[in-house]
């Protein structure tokens, strides 16, 4: 395996840098001969595999089937495949577990899919330095479990942790339930191994706590959604498990705006939760129908969260006191994780119920009450039910709009999502808090970023991927 950019990319006869500078629509079957010879049975071309790897968990649909899928077993496999695609100008989509919700991993017609799911080794847990070396296909929860055996944990905690991969988390700069206390994925990435568009391999970052050497390439690739290179391995930071017994808490509200004001008071005060989530009454009803667990139904919304450390119970009491002061009708503290597990079921439960068009926006925490009121007004104006779950502690909301399974229904629901996004922006928010842009939200980019910012990002893209083969037409 070549590292630090010193290894030359594999060469393929018959095409090169003097070929057309833009991607061709797709590859011909004969173009696969060299790649098949190099990769063997790791290159999949049967119709069932092509169909299975053409989609992700978003509502985006592929324009057609790819010509092949690479189930990469090593960085060398990825390097070989990208050198081949670069030489021919063939579009490439990259996927881990396919759990993305923004359409970033959907295949290109006649293109190549690079799947990293088989690169799933935890290479090392460095206890002394609180670091883990992992391949990109490692499941998030598996790394967390491996770290736990050493009294450590992996802070990022997306709701899809049981299925999502570390590489996917890094590519989208994923968030999750513990973000309010520990930040997002970029805050724990120390170093990366990345394959560039032409097949060259490089390392970014360092194992040290401080590093001011050159540009911060690690942060550049984190959140780049596969547009600048393919992340094949990473060194990530771990944290020690807090001592004591964690406590979960619940507060039910008859007014969702009161819940928003309670969150603002909690986050601005000294009682710091590790998790602080909101589930509205409609979402609670749907989750309970999907997986009955005795989750009580609130009048309008429920705050659920967790506190940790030796003062976990006292902190939970302080938080529930704040909730009651802001209108909570009922509160509860327990040592069970069932409330958080119910929160993790929100996305599959809502999808199963027909609320298929979801949104990922962020607002300043102090604007939560206002955004909840605005979402209610948007629902009334469009005559559509909107269910809301949120990583309330950091202002990241996931409203989901009810839509029938027809193109017209989806189009109508997308208009609702656009209105919610504009509302978030009007409050100083963002069009994406953690899912990324992909293809689903790309039309919204000019709403948040000015033309100069977009030009700068596209210049970076052109420098690293001059033929535009890596996830073109997405993210930026």
């Amino acid at each position: 395996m070549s590292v630090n950019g010193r290894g030359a990319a594999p060469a393929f006869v018959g095409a090169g840098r003097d070929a057309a500078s833009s991607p061709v629509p797709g590859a011909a079957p004969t173009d696969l001969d060299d790649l098949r010879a190099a990769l063997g049975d790791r290159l999949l071309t049967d119709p069932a595999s092509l169909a299975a790897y053409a989609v992700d968990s978003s509502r985006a649909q592929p324009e057609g089937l790819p010509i092949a899928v690479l189930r990469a077993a090593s960085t060398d496999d990825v390097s070989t495949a990208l050198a081949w695609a670069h030489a021919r100008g063939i579009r490439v989509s990259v996927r881990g577990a396919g759990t993305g919700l923004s359409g970033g991993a959907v295949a290109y017609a006649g293109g190549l899919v690079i799947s990293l799911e088989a690169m799933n080794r935890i290479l090392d847990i460095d206890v002394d330095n609180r670091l883990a070396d992992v391949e990109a296909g490692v499941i998030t929860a598996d790394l967390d479990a491996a770290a736990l055996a050493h009294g450590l944990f992996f802070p990022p905690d997306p709701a899809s942790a049981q299925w999502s991969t570390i590489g996917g988390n890094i590519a989208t700069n994923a968030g999750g339930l513990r973000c309010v206390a520990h930040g997002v994925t970029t805050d724990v990435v120390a170093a990366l191994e990345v394959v560039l568009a032409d097949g060259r391999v490089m390392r970014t970052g360092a194992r040290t706590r401080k590093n001011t050497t050159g540009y911060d390439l690690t942060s550049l690739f984190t959140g780049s959604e596969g547009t600048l290179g393919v992340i094949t391995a990473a060194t990530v930071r771990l944290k020690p498990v807090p001592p004591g017994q964690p406590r979960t808490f619940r507060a039910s509200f008859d007014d969702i705006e009161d819940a928003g004001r309670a969150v603002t008071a909690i986050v601005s005060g000294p009682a710091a939760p590790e998790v602080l989530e909101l589930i509205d009454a409609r979402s609670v009803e749907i989750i309970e129908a999907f997986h009955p667990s005795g989750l009580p139904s609130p009048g309008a919304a429920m705050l659920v969260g967790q506190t940790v450390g030796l003062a976990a119970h006292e902190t939970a009491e302080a938080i529930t006191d704040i909730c009651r002061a802001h209108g909570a009708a009922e509160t509860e503290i327990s040592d069970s994780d069932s409330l958080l597990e119910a929160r993790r079921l929100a996305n599959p439960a809502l999808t199963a119920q027909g609320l298929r068009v979801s949104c990922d926006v962020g607002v300043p925490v102090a604007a939560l009450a206002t955004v909840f009121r605005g979402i209610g007004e948007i629902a009334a104006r469009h005559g559509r039910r909107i269910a809301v779950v949120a990583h309330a502690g950091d202002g990241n909301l996931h409203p989901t709009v009810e839509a029938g399974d027809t193109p017209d229904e989806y189009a109508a629901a997308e208009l609702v999502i656009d209105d919610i996004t504009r509302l978030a922006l009007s409050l100083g928010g963002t069009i994406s808090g953690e899912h990324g842009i992909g293809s689903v939200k790309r039309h919204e980019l000019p709403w948040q970023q000015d033309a100069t910012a977009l030009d700068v990002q596209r210049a970076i893209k052109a420098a690293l991927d001059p033929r535009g083969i890596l996830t073109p037409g997405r993210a930026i």
Side-chain angles (χ1 to χ4, degrees), residues 20-183:
S21 60
S22 59
V24 297
T30 53
D31 288 330
L32 289 176
D33 292 344
D34 286 344
L35 198 58
R36 187 178 290 109
L39 299 172
D41 61 6
R42 298 187 296 284
L43 192 70
L44 310 178
T45 56
D46 61 285
S49 294
L50 299 182
Y53 285 88
V55 297
D56 59 14
S57 296
S58 74
R59 57 189 180 272
Q61 294 298 311
E63 58 190 27
L65 292 180
I67 191 173
V69 175
L70 169 63
R71 289 189 83 250
S74 67
T75 297
D76 285 342
D77 283 354
V78 177
S79 176
T80 297
L82 286 181
W84 173 87
H86 176 80
R88 289 160 177 79
I90 292 168
R91 296 175 294 177
V92 177
S93 57
V94 188
R95 61 182 284 128
T99 61
L101 296 173
S102 63
V106 171
Y108 296 95
L112 176 68
V113 175
I114 295 180
S115 169
L116 303 170
E117 64 185 331
M119 295 180 62
N120 57 8
R121 294 181 301 159
I122 298 174
L123 303 171
D124 184 47
I125 302 289
D126 180 350
V127 177
D128 291 340
N129 289 305
R130 295 178 183 169
L131 296 171
D133 297 303
V134 298
E135 292 183 323
V138 169
I139 299 298
T140 310
D142 290 348
L143 173 57
D144 206 24
L148 187 61
H150 301 279
L152 303 169
F153 72 102
F154 180 61
D157 185 32
S160 59
Q162 296 295 329
W163 308 281
S164 64
T165 63
I166 299 298
N169 293 345
I170 295 171
T172 58
N173 194 18
L177 277 67
R178 293 194 291 235
C179 284
V180 64
H182 303 290

Side-chain angles (χ1 to χ4, degrees), residues 238-321:
L238 307 174
K239 288 188 176 183
V241 175
Q245 173 66 49
R247 293 290 189 271
T248 58
F249 59 86
R250 171 181 64 86
S252 296
F253 292 82
D254 294 332
D255 185 329
I256 195 170
E257 292 181 46
D258 285 345
R261 284 185 278 269
V263 171
T264 300
I266 293 165
V267 172
S268 63
E274 185 175 59
V275 175
L276 183 57
E277 300 285 302
L278 179 141
I279 316 173
D280 76 353
R282 175 64 174 148
S283 299
V284 170
E285 174 189 338
I286 291 171
I287 293 168
E288 188 64 14
F290 180 77
H291 185 76
S293 61
L295 192 65
S297 181
M302 176 188 299
L303 293 182
V304 299
Q306 187 170 69
T307 55
V308 296
L310 295 176
H313 189 81
E314 291 79 1
T315 303
E317 286 184 325
I319 290 171
T320 53
D321 285 348

Side-chain angles (χ1 to χ4, degrees), residues 55-62 99-106 108 172 225 356-361 399 401 410-411 413-418 421 431-432 435-447 471-476:
V55 297
D56 59 14
S57 296
S58 74
R59 57 189 180 272
Q61 294 298 311
T99 61
L101 296 173
S102 63
V106 171
Y108 296 95
T172 58
E225 299 187 47
R356 301 180 178 91
V357 183
S358 62
C359 184
D360 165 39
V361 295
V401 182
Y410 274 82
E414 292 286 1
L415 294 177
V416 181
I417 293 297
D418 284 350
T421 303
I431 65 175
S432 177
H435 292 168
I437 302 302
S439 58
V440 170
K441 299 180 75 70
R442 190 167 181 253
H443 69 284
E444 299 173 353
L445 271 175
W447 303 354
T471 320
R474 296 174 191 167
I476 62 166

Side-chain angles (χ1 to χ4, degrees), residues 418-437:
D418 284 350
D419 279 359
I420 294 172
T421 303
R422 290 189 178 95
L423 169 64
L425 289 172
S426 74
L427 297 172
T430 178
I431 65 175
S432 177
E434 61 181 7
H435 292 168
I437 302 302

Side-chain angles (χ1 to χ4, degrees), residues 316-471:
E317 286 184 325
I319 290 171
T320 53
D321 285 348
I322 292 172
C323 291
R324 285 192 294 272
H326 285 80
E330 181 186 7
T331 63
E332 176 189 15
I333 298 172
S334 77
D335 58 6
S336 168
D337 283 341
S338 60
L339 291 172
L340 300 186
E341 292 308 312
R343 164 63 183 88
R344 294 180 191 280
L345 291 172
N347 187 60
L350 292 168
T351 300
Q353 189 64 26
L355 285 92
R356 301 180 178 91
V357 183
S358 62
C359 184
D360 165 39
V361 295
V363 298
V365 173
L368 280 172
T370 304
V371 78
F372 290 142
R373 182 189 319 125
I375 290 172
E377 293 169 353
I378 290 170
R381 186 165 67 248
H382 286 270
R384 288 188 177 266
R385 289 188 294 183
I386 302 174
V388 180
V389 296
H391 306 305
D394 56 25
N396 187 192
L397 292 83
H398 300 304
T400 304
V401 182
E402 184 177 48
D405 195 12
T406 69
D408 287 346
E409 282 287 298
Y410 274 82
E414 292 286 1
L415 294 177
V416 181
I417 293 297
D418 284 350
D419 279 359
I420 294 172
T421 303
R422 290 189 178 95
L423 169 64
L425 289 172
S426 74
L427 297 172
T430 178
I431 65 175
S432 177
E434 61 181 7
H435 292 168
I437 302 302
S439 58
V440 170
K441 299 180 75 70
R442 190 167 181 253
H443 69 284
E444 299 173 353
L445 271 175
W447 303 354
Q448 180 172 340
Q449 297 187 336
D450 62 38
T452 301
L454 294 173
D455 284 346
V456 168
Q457 292 173 88
R458 289 164 186 159
I460 294 170
K461 164 74 169 171
L464 292 175
D465 180 18
R467 302 203 66 187
I469 65 166
L470 284 174
T471 320

